[in-house]
């Protein structure tokens, strides 16, 4: 490498800029590569159906802290975050591969614990472990999982199909995993700085479970099938509602209106957010790790979706020129932005 050249910091491009930069000269060669980079998963044509492929990596110190993460839960969560991307294509997961880089501080028993979580997720979601790779690491534990699934060609849902006046819907509730993380981090700091050994989780079991042992929305995809509903666009919420709705809008070339009062937030999330002086809506918009499904459906299907308790209608799709806006409870409107959005902070 020529050291006289000036180097571009990664932060200048950001995550998505970096991905487009690195992958700009890779045209798809095969007609079987139906969808490459740019959705929750790639699609491979195998005749009547598509194979769906997605991969996600979890790195110690970045995605998890072993001080408070039980290895069994970590194994479970590492599978779930991948299955969530398969469901986001309206597909069904079938297989996973699991690759691990392990430091010398690990024992066989620790990896057994980790794999017991992987097994639990495989049993619950009906997927087969079909391979992987095992290597050592000088820095920390790293996990890379690839999930494969299957979907009928007419059933697949992309990020780019939202139409004007479509309803924007979300499953479950948002912001809980983020508040769970704040709680775990607070107790870790108290333990490290003040030697307080007994963590005080004060009855916050729901948000802790959402952070440590999330689920993927298999039930919602099954319900679409039963109710004969096919969303026009869909994405899973891994990076926060703001970031994900912007992906749908950008890919569909549309705008949106989201209503603060409609965003589903569990009572425990609100209580914990207040304790931390974080606006609960900020946790929902920017927190992430919810692994809920965010999707759009035609207005004509309002009645069908409105009757399902685990789905909330939070807004609608507009023309692109109208921008992506959040309507606050005060009736004020603000732009939805992916990161650093803080106008609701106390
Ligand atoms: P998600 O949050 O749904 O897991 P990501 O934001 O991680 O998706 O990735 C967006 C898209 O970019 C996906 O299609 C993914 O496969 C692709 N991608 C991410 N990193 C790379 C990389 N280093 N090389 C090639 N493709 C990548
Ligand atoms: Mg995704």
């Amino acid at each position: 490498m020529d050291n006289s050249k000036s180097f571009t910091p990664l932060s200048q491009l950001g995550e998505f800029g970096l991905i487009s930069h690195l992958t700009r000269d890779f045209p798809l060669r095969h007609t079987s590569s139906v969808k490459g980079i740019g959705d929750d998963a790639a699609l491979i044509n195998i005749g009547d159906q598509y194979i769906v492929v997605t991969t996600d990596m979890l790195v110690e110190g970045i995605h998890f802290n072993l001080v408070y993460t039980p290895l069994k839960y970590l194994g479970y969560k590492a599978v779930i975050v991948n299955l969530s991307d398969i469901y986001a294509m309206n597909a069904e997961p079938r297989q996973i591969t699991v690759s691990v880089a392990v430091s010398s501080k690990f024992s066989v028993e620790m990896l057994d614990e980790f794999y017991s979580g992987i097994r639990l997720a495989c049993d619950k979601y009906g997927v087969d472990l079909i391979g992987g790779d095992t290597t050592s690491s000088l820095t920390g534990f790293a996990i890379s999982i690839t999930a494969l699934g299957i979907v009928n060609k007419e059933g697949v849902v992309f990020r780019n199909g939202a139409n004007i006046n479509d309803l924007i819907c979300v499953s479950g509730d948002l912001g809980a995993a983020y508040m769970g993380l704040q709680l775990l981090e607070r107790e870790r700091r108290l333990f490290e700085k003040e030697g307080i050994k007994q963590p005080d989780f004060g009855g916050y079991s729901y948000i802790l479970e959402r952070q440590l042992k999330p689920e993927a929305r298999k039930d919602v995809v099954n319900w679409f099938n039963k109710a004969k509903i096919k969303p026009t666009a869909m994405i899973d919420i891994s990076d926060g509602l703001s970031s994900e709705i912007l992906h749908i809008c950008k890919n569909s070339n549309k705008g949106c209106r989201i209503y603060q009062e409609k965003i589903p937030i569990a009572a425990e999330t609100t209580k914990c957010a207040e304790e931390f002086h974080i606006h609960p809506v900020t946790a929902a918009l920017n927190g992430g790790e919810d692994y809920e499904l965010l999707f759009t459906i035609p207005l004509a299907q309002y009645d069908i979706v409105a009757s399902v308790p685990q789905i909330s209608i939070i807004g609608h799709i507009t023309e692109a020129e109208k921008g992506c806006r959040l309507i606050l409870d005060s009736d004020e409107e603000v732009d939805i932005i992916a990161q650093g959005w803080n106008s609701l902070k106390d």
Side-chain angles (χ1 to χ4, degrees), residues 27-339:
L28 298 177
R29 290 189 172 82
H30 300 284
T31 51
S32 55
S33 306
V34 174
K35 177 81 200 170
I37 293 159
D39 216 297
D40 291 290
L43 294 180
I44 302 170
N45 187 358
I46 50 154
D48 292 348
Q49 292 180 305
Y50 293 131
I51 298 231
V52 187
V53 189
T54 182
T55 193
D56 255 307
M57 201 168 177
L58 299 181
V59 175
E60 185 177 350
I62 304 289
H63 299 100
F64 58 89
N65 189 327
L66 288 177
V67 167
Y68 52 71
T69 310
L71 282 161
K72 184 173 180 178
Y73 287 6
L74 182 61
Y76 192 85
K77 181 170 176 175
V79 177
I80 294 304
V81 304
N82 279 277
L83 302 188
S84 180
D85 278 321
I86 298 281
Y87 290 119
M89 305 302 287
N90 206 25
E92 282 177 36
R94 289 281 189 268
Q95 292 90 10
I96 54 165
T97 66
V98 176
S99 301
V100 286
V102 197
S103 67
S104 56
K105 72 176 181 194
F106 267 60
S107 62
V108 173
E109 287 72 18
M110 288 168 81
L111 284 176
D112 280 342
E113 265 304 291
F114 176 73
Y115 268 76
S116 72
I118 293 199
R119 191 177 319 113
L120 194 62
C122 286
D123 289 346
K124 180 154 183 186
Y125 288 85
V127 299
D128 297 332
L129 173 65
I130 57 160
D133 195 18
T134 307
T135 184
S136 52
S137 160
L138 290 178
T139 45
F141 189 31
I143 310 149
S144 172
I145 295 190
T146 297
L148 298 114
I150 200 109
V151 64
N152 287 331
K153 283 185 174 173
E154 63 281 7
V156 69
V157 178
F158 297 101
R159 293 174 177 180
N160 68 2
N163 298 307
I164 292 164
N165 292 332
D166 276 359
L167 299 170
I168 301 170
C169 310
V170 67
S171 62
D173 59 78
L174 304 179
Y178 178 76
M179 290 320 306
L181 179 64
Q182 302 314 305
L183 199 59
L184 289 163
E185 280 291 321
R186 179 183 73 187
E187 297 308 311
R188 178 187 63 80
R189 284 192 299 268
L190 285 174
F191 171 69
E192 281 173 6
K193 287 206 187 86
E194 293 164 39
I196 297 173
K197 288 212 178 68
Q198 201 58 53
D200 175 14
F201 292 131
Y204 283 125
S205 56
Y206 177 68
I207 61 171
L208 287 175
E209 182 160 332
R210 294 280 285 167
Q211 168 58 221
L212 294 171
K213 192 173 172 288
E215 300 293 347
R217 294 315 298 250
K218 176 190 172 98
D219 56 335
V220 174
V221 170
N222 286 346
W223 178 77
F224 288 148
N225 236 327
K226 259 213 246 131
K228 304 216 175 333
I229 285 207
K230 187 189 168 196
T232 47
M234 182 150 66
I235 191 168
D236 72 320
I237 304 188
S238 50
D239 295 340
L241 175 62
S242 294
S243 170
E244 314 300 359
I245 190 63
L246 290 178
H247 279 310
I248 286 187
C249 289
K250 189 172 173 225
N251 284 265
S252 305
N253 192 25
K254 299 287 182 298
C256 70
R257 290 287 177 281
I258 301 263
Y259 296 85
Q260 176 185 353
E261 57 174 355
K262 307 277 188 200
I263 297 175
I265 298 174
E268 212 177 277
T269 306
T270 303
K271 184 166 173 265
C272 185
E274 280 163 4
E275 205 178 301
F276 278 80
H277 305 290
I278 293 171
H279 198 295
V281 173
T282 304
L285 289 170
N286 298 334
E289 295 198 281
D290 299 302
Y291 303 108
E292 295 294 346
L293 291 172
L294 175 69
F295 57 95
T296 55
I297 54 151
L299 183 57
Q301 290 176 334
Y302 175 90
D303 286 341
I304 308 175
V305 171
S307 66
V308 182
Q310 68 266 37
I311 293 176
S312 306
I313 300 170
I314 59 168
H316 60 270
I317 296 289
T318 64
E319 293 83 1
E321 301 71 51
K322 293 194 173 158
C324 295
R325 313 272 287 166
L326 176 71
I327 321 299
L328 303 178
D329 289 353
S330 60
D331 274 349
E332 202 187 322
E333 277 189 31
V334 293
D335 277 330
I336 297 173
I337 54 170
Q339 293 284 316

